Protein backbone atom coordinates (compact mmCIF):
# COMPACT_ATOMS: atom_id res chain seq x y z
CA UNK A 1 0.00 0.00 0.00
CA UNK A 2 2.89 2.39 0.67
CA UNK A 3 4.14 1.99 -2.91
CA UNK A 4 0.62 2.57 -4.26
CA UNK A 5 0.24 5.70 -2.13
CA UNK A 6 3.74 6.89 -3.09
CA UNK A 7 2.88 6.54 -6.78
CA UNK A 8 -0.54 8.17 -6.47
CA UNK A 9 0.67 11.18 -4.47
CA UNK A 10 4.09 11.42 -6.20
CA UNK A 11 6.01 11.07 -2.95
CA UNK A 12 9.18 10.02 -4.77
CA UNK A 13 9.26 13.40 -6.51
CA UNK A 14 9.90 15.07 -3.15
CA UNK A 15 13.54 16.00 -2.47
CA UNK A 16 13.15 15.14 1.22
CA UNK A 17 10.50 14.19 3.74
CA UNK A 18 9.76 12.59 7.09
CA UNK A 19 8.11 9.23 7.67
CA UNK A 20 6.90 8.11 11.08
CA UNK A 21 6.73 4.38 11.79
CA UNK A 22 3.86 4.37 14.29
CA UNK A 23 3.97 1.25 16.44
CA UNK A 24 7.45 0.47 15.15
CA UNK A 25 8.01 -2.47 17.51
CA UNK A 26 11.36 -4.06 16.72
CA UNK A 27 12.02 -1.58 13.89
CA UNK A 28 11.95 -4.29 11.23
CA UNK A 29 9.92 -2.12 8.82
CA UNK A 30 12.81 0.31 8.39
CA UNK A 31 14.46 -1.39 5.39
CA UNK A 32 11.25 -1.73 3.36
CA UNK A 33 10.25 1.88 4.14
CA UNK A 34 13.65 3.17 3.01
CA UNK A 35 13.47 1.14 -0.20
CA UNK A 36 10.15 2.76 -1.07
CA UNK A 37 11.01 6.29 0.12
CA UNK A 38 14.82 6.45 0.18
CA UNK A 39 15.15 10.22 0.72
CA UNK A 40 12.75 10.32 3.66
CA UNK A 41 14.06 10.63 7.23
CA UNK A 42 12.84 7.79 9.45
CA UNK A 43 11.27 8.20 12.89
CA UNK A 44 10.04 5.27 14.97
CA UNK A 45 7.66 5.47 17.92
CA UNK A 46 5.94 2.90 20.14
CA UNK A 47 4.62 2.46 23.65
CA UNK A 48 7.20 1.70 26.30
CA UNK A 49 6.45 -2.01 26.71
CA UNK A 50 5.03 -4.62 24.33
CA UNK A 51 6.18 -8.03 23.07
CA UNK A 52 7.34 -6.38 19.83
CA UNK A 53 9.28 -3.64 21.63
CA UNK A 54 10.84 -6.26 23.91
CA UNK A 55 12.15 -8.10 20.84
CA UNK A 56 13.99 -5.00 19.55
CA UNK A 57 17.71 -5.62 19.13
CA UNK A 58 18.84 -3.02 16.61
CA UNK A 59 20.88 -0.06 17.84
CA UNK A 60 21.38 1.70 14.50
CA UNK A 61 18.17 3.75 14.84
CA UNK A 62 16.69 5.98 17.51
CA UNK A 63 13.17 5.27 18.73
CA UNK A 64 10.74 7.40 20.71
CA UNK A 65 8.11 6.29 23.19
CA UNK A 66 4.59 7.60 23.76
CA UNK A 67 1.52 6.90 25.85
CA UNK A 68 -0.50 5.31 23.05
CA UNK A 69 -2.34 8.54 22.19
CA UNK A 70 -0.16 11.67 22.29
CA UNK A 71 2.52 11.54 19.63
CA UNK A 72 5.66 13.46 20.72
CA UNK A 73 5.96 15.48 17.51
CA UNK A 74 5.03 18.97 16.39
CA UNK A 75 1.88 19.81 14.47
CA UNK A 76 2.22 19.36 10.67
CA UNK A 77 5.65 17.77 11.12
CA UNK A 78 5.33 14.45 9.23
CA UNK A 79 4.81 13.80 5.53
CA UNK A 80 3.86 10.14 5.95
CA UNK A 81 2.72 8.08 8.93
CA UNK A 82 3.07 4.33 8.44
CA UNK A 83 1.07 2.08 10.77
CA UNK A 84 1.26 -1.68 10.12
CA UNK A 85 -1.00 -3.95 12.19
CA UNK A 86 -1.13 -1.56 15.15
CA UNK A 87 -4.59 -0.01 15.42
CA UNK A 88 -6.20 -3.23 16.67
CA UNK A 89 -3.99 -2.90 19.78
CA UNK A 90 -4.88 0.74 20.56
CA UNK A 91 -7.14 1.38 23.55
CA UNK A 92 -8.26 4.84 22.43
CA UNK A 93 -8.24 4.74 18.61
CA UNK A 94 -10.23 7.94 18.02
CA UNK A 95 -7.88 10.00 20.18
CA UNK A 96 -4.88 8.51 18.38
CA UNK A 97 -6.41 9.24 14.97
CA UNK A 98 -6.88 12.86 16.05
CA UNK A 99 -3.20 12.97 16.97
CA UNK A 100 -2.25 11.42 13.63
CA UNK A 101 -4.21 14.16 11.88
CA UNK A 102 -2.47 16.80 14.03
CA UNK A 103 1.04 15.54 13.28
CA UNK A 104 0.55 15.05 9.53
CA UNK A 105 1.23 18.03 7.32
CA UNK A 106 -1.71 19.18 5.16
CA UNK A 107 -2.27 16.49 2.49
CA UNK A 108 0.15 14.17 4.32
CA UNK A 109 -0.42 10.42 3.97
CA UNK A 110 -1.55 7.92 6.59
CA UNK A 111 -0.88 4.40 5.30
CA UNK A 112 -0.77 0.90 6.70
CA UNK A 113 -2.91 -2.08 7.63
CA UNK A 114 -5.16 -3.27 10.43
CA UNK A 115 -6.78 -6.52 11.56
CA UNK A 116 -10.36 -7.42 10.67
CA UNK A 117 -11.06 -11.18 10.76
CA UNK A 118 -7.80 -12.11 12.48
CA UNK A 119 -7.75 -14.25 15.64
CA UNK A 120 -6.67 -12.69 18.93
CA UNK A 121 -2.94 -11.94 19.03
CA UNK A 122 -0.42 -9.94 21.07
CA UNK A 123 -2.94 -8.16 23.34
CA UNK A 124 -5.21 -7.13 20.45
CA UNK A 125 -8.29 -5.21 21.65
CA UNK A 126 -10.42 -4.35 18.60
CA UNK A 127 -10.96 -5.76 15.13
CA UNK A 128 -11.78 -3.18 12.44
CA UNK A 129 -14.36 -3.72 9.70
CA UNK A 130 -13.97 -1.95 6.33
CA UNK A 131 -16.91 0.28 7.26
CA UNK A 132 -15.32 0.99 10.63
CA UNK A 133 -12.01 2.04 9.08
CA UNK A 134 -13.67 4.51 6.71
CA UNK A 135 -16.06 5.86 9.34
CA UNK A 136 -13.52 6.45 12.11
CA UNK A 137 -10.91 7.86 9.75
CA UNK A 138 -13.36 10.34 8.23
CA UNK A 139 -14.87 11.24 11.62
CA UNK A 140 -11.39 12.26 12.76
CA UNK A 141 -10.42 14.42 9.81
CA UNK A 142 -8.80 11.98 7.38
CA UNK A 143 -9.94 12.07 3.75
CA UNK A 144 -9.87 10.05 0.53
CA UNK A 145 -9.75 6.75 2.40
CA UNK A 146 -8.73 3.87 0.12
CA UNK A 147 -8.95 0.22 1.19
CA UNK A 148 -7.45 -2.97 -0.22
CA UNK A 149 -7.94 -6.54 1.05
CA UNK A 150 -4.92 -8.27 2.53
CA UNK A 151 -4.63 -11.93 3.53
CA UNK A 152 -8.05 -13.50 4.11
CA UNK A 153 -9.42 -14.32 7.55
CA UNK A 154 -9.68 -18.06 6.87
CA UNK A 155 -5.95 -18.32 6.10
CA UNK A 156 -5.11 -16.35 9.26
CA UNK A 157 -7.34 -18.61 11.34
CA UNK A 158 -5.70 -21.75 9.94
CA UNK A 159 -2.29 -20.12 10.48
CA UNK A 160 -3.22 -19.55 14.12
CA UNK A 161 -4.13 -23.24 14.53
CA UNK A 162 -1.51 -25.00 12.41
CA UNK A 163 1.47 -22.67 12.76
CA UNK A 164 3.00 -19.73 10.91
CA UNK A 165 5.45 -21.55 8.65
CA UNK A 166 2.79 -23.28 6.56
CA UNK A 167 1.16 -19.96 5.63
CA UNK A 168 4.19 -17.68 5.29
CA UNK A 169 3.76 -17.43 1.51
CA UNK A 170 0.16 -16.24 1.87
CA UNK A 171 1.39 -12.72 2.66
CA UNK A 172 3.27 -12.39 -0.64
CA UNK A 173 0.69 -13.88 -3.01
CA UNK A 174 -3.04 -14.63 -3.04
CA UNK A 175 -3.94 -16.44 0.16
CA UNK A 176 -6.20 -19.49 0.11
CA UNK A 177 -9.68 -17.98 0.04
CA UNK A 178 -8.57 -15.01 -2.07
CA UNK A 179 -7.20 -17.49 -4.63
CA UNK A 180 -10.61 -19.12 -5.07
CA UNK A 181 -12.28 -15.72 -5.36
CA UNK A 182 -9.86 -14.85 -8.16
CA UNK A 183 -10.94 -18.01 -9.95
CA UNK A 184 -14.55 -16.81 -9.87
CA UNK A 185 -13.43 -13.65 -11.68
CA UNK A 186 -11.46 -15.67 -14.25
CA UNK A 187 -14.57 -17.73 -14.94
CA UNK A 188 -16.60 -14.60 -15.52
CA UNK A 189 -18.92 -15.31 -12.62
CA UNK A 190 -18.14 -12.04 -10.80
CA UNK A 191 -16.73 -8.65 -11.75
CA UNK A 192 -13.44 -7.35 -10.31
CA UNK A 193 -15.43 -4.90 -8.18
CA UNK A 194 -17.54 -7.74 -6.75
CA UNK A 195 -14.43 -9.80 -6.06
CA UNK A 196 -12.72 -6.94 -4.21
CA UNK A 197 -15.86 -6.30 -2.16
CA UNK A 198 -16.03 -10.00 -1.24
CA UNK A 199 -12.32 -10.05 -0.34
CA UNK A 200 -12.80 -7.08 1.97
CA UNK A 201 -15.82 -8.76 3.57
CA UNK A 202 -13.70 -11.77 4.59
CA UNK A 203 -10.30 -10.05 4.96
CA UNK A 204 -8.03 -10.93 7.82
CA UNK A 205 -6.07 -7.73 7.23
CA UNK A 206 -7.29 -4.50 5.63
CA UNK A 207 -4.69 -2.30 3.93
CA UNK A 208 -5.41 1.43 3.78
CA UNK A 209 -4.22 4.89 2.96
CA UNK A 210 -5.79 8.30 3.52
CA UNK A 211 -4.80 11.96 3.43
CA UNK A 212 -4.82 14.61 6.13
Amino acid sequence: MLQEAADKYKLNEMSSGKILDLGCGSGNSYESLKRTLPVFSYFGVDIEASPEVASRERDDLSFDTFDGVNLPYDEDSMDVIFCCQVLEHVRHPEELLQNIKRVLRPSGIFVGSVSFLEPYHSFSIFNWSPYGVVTLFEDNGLKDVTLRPGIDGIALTWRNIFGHKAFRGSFNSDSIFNYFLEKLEENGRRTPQQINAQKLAVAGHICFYATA
Side-chain angles (χ1 to χ4, degrees):
M1 280 302 268
L2 180 58
Q3 185 63 64
E4 181 178 330
D7 292 341
K8 179 175 180 178
Y9 297 105
K10 304 185 186 307
L11 297 179
N12 283 313
E13 295 182 8
M14 298 172 59
S15 58
S16 64
K18 295 180 180 179
I19 183 167
L20 175 62
D21 187 1
L22 173 55
C24 59
S26 64
N28 61 5
S29 294
Y30 172 77
E31 280 75 19
S32 63
L33 295 177
K34 290 297 286 185
R35 282 195 298 271
T36 305
L37 298 174
V39 303
F40 277 50
S41 299
Y42 174 90
F43 297 81
V45 67
D46 211 323
I47 59 174
E48 186 172 356
S50 72
E52 292 74 23
V53 169
S55 71
R56 186 186 299 157
E57 296 181 351
R58 63 189 313 158
D59 57 7
D60 58 329
L61 301 170
S62 61
F63 300 99
D64 298 312
T65 59
F66 80 128
D67 61 4
V69 171
N70 300 292
L71 294 168
Y73 307 102
D74 293 335
E75 184 175 347
D76 301 341
S77 60
M78 296 291 168
D79 299 284
V80 177
I81 296 181
F82 175 76
C83 185
C84 180
Q85 298 304 126
V86 173
L87 293 177
E88 66 268 22
H89 305 281
V90 175
R91 293 189 181 187
H92 306 286
E94 291 205 69
E95 290 91 336
L96 178 58
L97 287 170
Q98 291 163 15
N99 237 257
I100 288 166
K101 175 66 166 57
R102 177 187 66 82
V103 169
L104 279 172
R105 65 167 175 79
S107 300
I109 310 302
F110 181 43
V111 60
S113 61
V114 65
S115 291
F116 177 25
L117 299 179
E118 178 172 18
Y120 170 82
H121 62 284
S122 189
F123 305 118
S124 56
I125 298 173
F126 303 108
N127 283 33
W128 292 61
S129 71
Y131 177 76
V133 173
V134 174
T135 300
L136 265 69
F137 281 24
E138 290 181 347
D139 282 354
N140 291 283
L142 297 168
K143 303 174 292 187
D144 301 325
V145 183
T146 300
L147 304 182
R148 298 282 184 268
I151 186 172
D152 65 82
I154 294 173
L156 281 180
T157 301
W158 287 358
R159 177 176 178 263
N160 183 265
I161 296 170
F162 297 111
H164 291 194
K165 288 185 178 180
F167 293 89
R168 187 172 298 161
S170 296
F171 289 92
N172 300 317
S173 60
D174 273 334
S175 51
I176 296 168
F177 196 68
N178 284 347
Y179 170 81
F180 289 108
L181 287 172
E182 290 288 347
K183 289 299 180 183
L184 290 177
E185 181 183 344
E186 289 178 10
N187 295 332
R189 295 175 62 184
R190 296 184 186 175
T191 67
Q193 293 78 10
Q194 290 172 325
I195 295 296
N196 281 330
Q198 184 64 66
K199 284 183 178 181
L200 279 172
V202 297
H205 293 168
I206 297 171
C207 305
F208 63 80
Y209 59 81
T211 60

